[in-house]
Amino acid sequence: MFIDSHCHINFPELAARMPEVLAQMAHNKVTHALCVSVDLPDFPQVLALAHQYPHIYASVGVHPDYEDTPEPSVEQLVELANDPKIIAIGETGLDYFRLQGDLEWQRERFRTHIRASRQCRKPLIIHTRSASEDTLRIMREEGAGTDAGGVAGVMHCFTESLEVARAAIEMGFYISFSGIVTFKSAKELQAVALELPLERILIETDAPYLAPVPYRGKMNEPGFVAHVGEYIAKLKGVPVEQVAQQTTANFFQLFQLQP
Ligand SMILES: [Zn+2]
Ligand SMILES: [Zn+2]
């Protein structure tokens, strides 16, 4: 069994095909999925999905790429996270690739999420793109890691260096690989995945984006996370059951859930 640790099945293109999406999950033995919030207006839909389906979990947060959207406060995030199906804060982080200019608001928003995570004791889902130095710095300054009294979390859709991965792991974080790791061109990322211990790895789709090989370019969905798991097993030369079991155990451990 696999778990998709990060998807956006509330997005209209997937929400419109929900019965199919859930059937594909079952077919590929994907037992659970974490539907990740990207802004506050979408949050009620995300929460409703988690309440409707026992095997769907959810998070609350505002994505760093969403510029013109209501800004959350620490209190608001903590309050919205007060639900047993909300298991994480995010996605949050920094993205200097998609947006340029003065991004102080992004850094402030990131700090707000880390403070909320520390307060409500739910792990962070961190998005970082072309901003790893500032991301790690703010994680340290705000005490995001278990080494500093935080509850850590996951570096999602990881595309950074081994050095960045190790720095995050030292703070108690997990590293999540998406379909990107299956791309032919992703040699450096594959080397990172090969080097990291399976005990610190999660797998995800980030659906509807980034479909793994052999679905590259098509609409992604949580069921396809099985292909990410299979790829990592091949890469590491271990049985796929081992990757499935360990990444599933990692998910339950990180999000403090009973399997
Ligand atoms: Zn992301
Ligand atoms: Zn995402």
Side-chain angles (χ1 to χ4, degrees):
M1 71 193 227
F2 297 98
I3 297 182
D4 184 359
S5 72
H6 188 117
C7 64
H8 302 285
I9 47 174
N10 62 304
F11 285 11
E13 57 270 52
L14 285 171
R17 308 171 39 231
M18 196 56 75
E20 260 177 87
V21 167
L22 297 175
Q24 181 68 249
M25 276 178 71
H27 182 256
N28 285 1
K29 298 193 171 65
V30 177
T31 55
H32 301 78
L34 172 48
C35 182
V36 175
S37 282
V38 294
D39 66 6
L40 295 177
D42 265 7
F43 177 71
Q45 290 170 304
V46 171
L47 182 64
L49 282 174
H51 283 166
Q52 189 177 353
Y53 303 107
H55 61 312
I56 304 293
Y57 295 103
S59 72
V60 61
V62 182
H63 195 290
D65 286 347
Y66 286 58
E67 198 170 1
D68 298 311
T69 194
E71 202 58 47
S73 67
V74 174
E75 296 68 34
Q76 206 172 4
L77 290 172
V78 168
E79 199 189 308
L80 294 174
N82 186 22
D83 182 295
K85 289 306 288 284
I86 301 297
I87 60 170
I89 301 294
E91 58 182 292
T92 182
L94 302 176
D95 193 330
Y96 298 168
F97 182 81
R98 286 283 291 277
L99 297 173
Q100 276 99 36
D102 180 8
L103 297 178
E104 187 53 29
W105 61 268
Q106 245 189 25
R107 292 184 284 274
E108 274 309 307
R109 185 185 287 174
F110 185 27
R111 290 181 192 278
T112 297
H113 283 78
I114 298 174
R115 289 169 194 169
S117 159
R118 285 178 56 104
Q119 228 177 83
C120 71
R121 311 309 293 170
K122 297 194 181 188
L124 290 156
I125 299 168
I126 296 184
H127 169 115
T128 183
R129 202 159 173 214
S130 306
S132 59
E133 219 172 284
D134 279 4
T135 302
L136 290 172
R137 176 175 59 80
I138 290 173
M139 284 162 68
R140 287 198 188 95
E141 284 175 5
E142 295 292 335
T146 45
D147 58 334
V151 285
V154 54
M155 307 300 286
H156 111 87
C157 196
F158 193 78
T159 53
E160 304 295 329
S161 66
L162 183 60
E163 202 187 349
V164 172
R166 284 190 170 140
I169 288 173
E170 246 168 66
M171 285 186 249
F173 278 76
Y174 288 79
I175 307 296
S176 180
F177 293 98
S178 69
I180 293 178
V181 78
T182 70
F183 296 174
K184 239 190 181 138
S185 54
K187 294 280 175 266
E188 284 171 41
L189 188 61
Q190 288 155 7
V192 174
L194 185 59
E195 206 58 40
L196 295 183
L198 208 46
E199 287 70 27
R200 304 308 299 183
I201 291 178
L202 295 181
I203 51 175
E204 67 171 84
T205 59
D206 210 6
Y209 313 118
L210 299 170
V213 173
Y215 300 105
R216 190 170 180 184
K218 301 223 173 81
M219 193 198 300
N220 201 0
E221 54 182 280
F224 295 171
V225 81
H227 296 281
V228 179
E230 280 162 16
Y231 185 88
I232 288 178
K234 221 190 286 166
L235 186 71
K236 286 186 172 293
V238 300
V240 66
E241 294 76 25
Q242 193 182 334
V243 171
Q245 259 170 32
Q246 187 65 55
T247 55
T248 295
N250 294 346
F251 180 90
F252 286 123
Q253 163 120 27
L254 171 61
F255 295 112
Q256 305 150 28
L257 299 166
Q258 295 302 324

